[in-house]
Amino acid sequence: MQDKVVFQGFVAKLSEYQKGNLKGEWVAFPTTKKRMEEVLRQLDISNPDNMFIATYKSEQRHPVINYLKPFTHLDEVNFLANIFGKLREDTKMVLSAVIDIEGLSEVNQCINAIYNLDKYALIPKIKTPVLLERYMMEYPESPAVNKSGSFCEMGYVYDIGTVEEIYDGNINRIPKNSKVCPLFEPFQEKNLSQKTQDKLKTILADVPHTEGFQAYIANTDALQQDEIKGEWVSFPTDTHTIQEVFERIELTDDPFKYACLGVQSSVKGLSEKIVASTHLDILNYISEEVEGLAYREGDGIAILESCIEAFKSNNSLDILNFIENIDCFRLARNKQNMQEVANKYMGEMKLPKSLANHIHIDIPSSEKELKRDEAAYFTKNGFLERLRLPTQYYTSHEDVPESSRIFPVLKEINKEDVKKSIVATLENAKSNKEPTKPSKSVKRDVER
């Protein structure tokens, strides 16, 4: 049985909003994956990035609604609704106070606050120092004595424990029962007709000579109709250039229907890791970061190539994480340094026979004791030594810095414009069902 409705969100189609239209419908949260699949099907959304939540409303008018923003990930919104809906009313009062006192502003902070509510206590209606003093005199045994706290609209809140970071904002750590964002099958060339595949093969084989990084950006709707509309784009680039490319390949109606094909890079092994569905913002940021590595002193590019070769990388985000963690690795390239690494790791590396006469791994280990996070790998560029475990910095295209984003999507949302658009959308929908019924109640509903 679905939980009681906590709040509602207006799920809209982003490509329509870009054109000045707000096409969407209200969804009650928490919701289900089946319900979201139905909504996206009705809105003709085939890419989760083409969806956003424009605004929210709640019958209970709880302050938590103020921290839900447009473009908050669907799974995170549903996660908040799930855990908030299970709170008792008195606990919700404590949450309101904690949000107010801690000055929280992000949805992930509110989620973490819910998980840490046992670290706070509320004395209702005690809103001034005078009232608190009287309370302490009346209840000298109260745990609030000698505890730090603050006043808020609900009363006096004080801490009774140390706050822990349970949820850090990584949507990959959201429990499965809260995930409702449908998974769409990514575009794949093998699903095209043989005729179109042959044409693409010819086009991608004729690569224009350029330094750096480039990709063939194609219109996927056209490809599925056995038409080829696309062109080579050099990266890094900017939003204006991408907009012009999208206009030429007729992607202005729905900019999300593109594919990155035939990626070319001077970094060995990199092209093979870029799939057709790679987000343009990620592609652009990778090209910027690779460019930065090339200008830095040291073996940055060679280490990146060795990481791509030595480790299993599932997507382009792994490439970004390799680059961000370059200083976690060291590359031994000459005979002396390679022998030192071989001495240190003994027989843990499997060497090809061609190196057997030069590098010996059956000699006593060095006196230095290996740490748990250390390891070494044989690669074409030399021995890649991992000095410590890397950190995961990137989990989605939303982690790409604003300055590097090039995808032509308007991120600025004007609340008043959205409100007017929603009113118009709801009134149109209502008039289709009840042509003679007045729409004042709809306007009041949106104002709320």
Side-chain angles (χ1 to χ4, degrees), residues 47 49 185-187 258-261 274-280 316:
N47 185 321
D49 293 331
E185 183 181 355
F187 171 84
Y258 71 91
C260 300
L261 308 175
I274 307 296
V275 298
S277 57
T278 299
H279 198 283
L280 283 183
S316 51

Side-chain angles (χ1 to χ4, degrees), residues 387-438:
L387 307 176
R388 57 185 177 279
L389 287 177
T391 301
Q392 186 178 36
Y393 294 99
Y394 304 98
T395 59
S396 78
H397 68 269
E398 293 293 336
D399 296 328
V400 171
E402 287 285 350
S403 59
S404 298
R405 297 184 187 182
I406 57 169
F407 192 72
V409 173
L410 299 175
K411 288 284 187 178
E412 293 299 322
I413 299 292
N414 184 299
K415 290 185 178 180
E416 288 304 314
D417 288 345
V418 168
K419 188 184 292 184
K420 291 175 184 177
S421 298
I422 292 177
V423 168
T425 301
L426 295 179
E427 285 182 341
N428 289 337
K430 194 160 187 157
S431 63
N432 290 335
K433 295 179 182 179
E434 305 173 65
T436 59
K437 194 169 183 179

Side-chain angles (χ1 to χ4, degrees), residues 105-134:
S105 60
E106 302 294 335
V107 63
N108 64 292
Q109 294 174 331
C110 295
I111 291 172
N112 201 55
I114 292 175
Y115 277 116
N116 280 278
L117 286 178
D118 59 335
K119 310 297 194 309
Y120 297 90
L122 169 70
I123 307 176
K125 300 180 182 180
I126 304 299
K127 303 179 181 180
T128 66
V130 173
L131 291 175
L132 179 62
E133 187 176 352
R134 291 175 184 171

